[in-house]
């Protein structure tokens, strides 16, 4: 009995792994609906796109925090983004397009020109 039970457990485990592998492979080939003006992409590509958009929002949040600290220390807006002491993870570039963020020193607003994310 033990030998037959072990074989059954092994076959079930292999079956579960095969189902999960098929699900992963098929999810990469499945297309997601198009967003306005963007080509259709795989589910994996859409997830990567969304991850980069979240990274862009995180960069903007860190840059805005650095601007607020600069204002608290100096009493005025920084003249440009290079005068901020940004953490290495917050680069003043959009991770999707590698274009620099736009900064208005009069208002202290920083925006992503591609995603229109900003204040």
């Amino acid at each position: 009995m033990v030998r037959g039970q072990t074989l059954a457990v092994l076959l079930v485990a292999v079956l579960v792994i095969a189902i999960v592998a098929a699900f992963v492979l098929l999810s990469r080939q499945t297309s997601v609906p198009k967003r306005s003006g963007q080509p259709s992409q795989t589910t994996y590509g859409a997830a990567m796109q969304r991850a980069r958009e979240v990274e862009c929002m995180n960069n903007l949040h860190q840059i805005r925090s650095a601007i607020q600290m600069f204002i608290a220390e100096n009493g005025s807006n920084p003249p440009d983004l290079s005068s901020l002491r940004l953490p290495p993870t917050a680069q003043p570039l959009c991770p999707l397009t590698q274009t620099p963020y736009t900064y208005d020193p009069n208002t202290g607003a920083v925006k992503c020109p591609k995603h229109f994310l900003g204040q």
Side-chain angles (χ1 to χ4, degrees):
M1 275 267 209
V2 174
R3 176 172 250 153
Q5 203 172 22
T6 305
L7 181 60
V9 170
L10 179 65
L11 289 175
V12 168
V14 169
L15 181 64
V16 168
I17 291 172
I19 290 172
V20 169
F23 178 73
V24 169
L25 290 175
L26 290 176
S27 69
R28 286 188 175 194
Q29 296 173 356
T30 306
S31 297
V32 294
K34 293 182 183 180
R35 290 186 185 173
S36 59
Q38 293 182 349
S40 177
Q41 14 176 275
T42 62
T43 305
Y44 178 75
M48 292 303 293
Q49 171 96 11
R50 180 67 183 139
R52 288 187 189 101
E53 289 173 0
V54 169
E55 182 181 358
C56 182
M57 288 188 293
N58 183 43
N59 285 348
L60 287 171
H61 178 73
Q62 288 185 6
I63 291 169
R64 289 183 189 120
S65 295
I67 290 172
Q68 292 301 318
M69 289 190 298
F70 187 94
I71 292 171
E73 290 176 5
N74 301 312
S76 64
N77 289 329
D80 55 15
L81 292 180
S82 63
S83 59
L84 299 173
R85 288 177 270 162
L86 295 173
T89 56
Q91 297 299 319
L93 296 174
C94 175
L96 277 172
T97 61
Q98 297 300 315
T99 57
Y101 296 128
T102 58
Y103 172 67
D104 182 11
N106 297 325
T107 62
V110 61
K111 298 178 184 177
C112 177
K114 171 70 177 170
H115 304 106
F116 308 105
L117 301 172
Q119 291 173 301

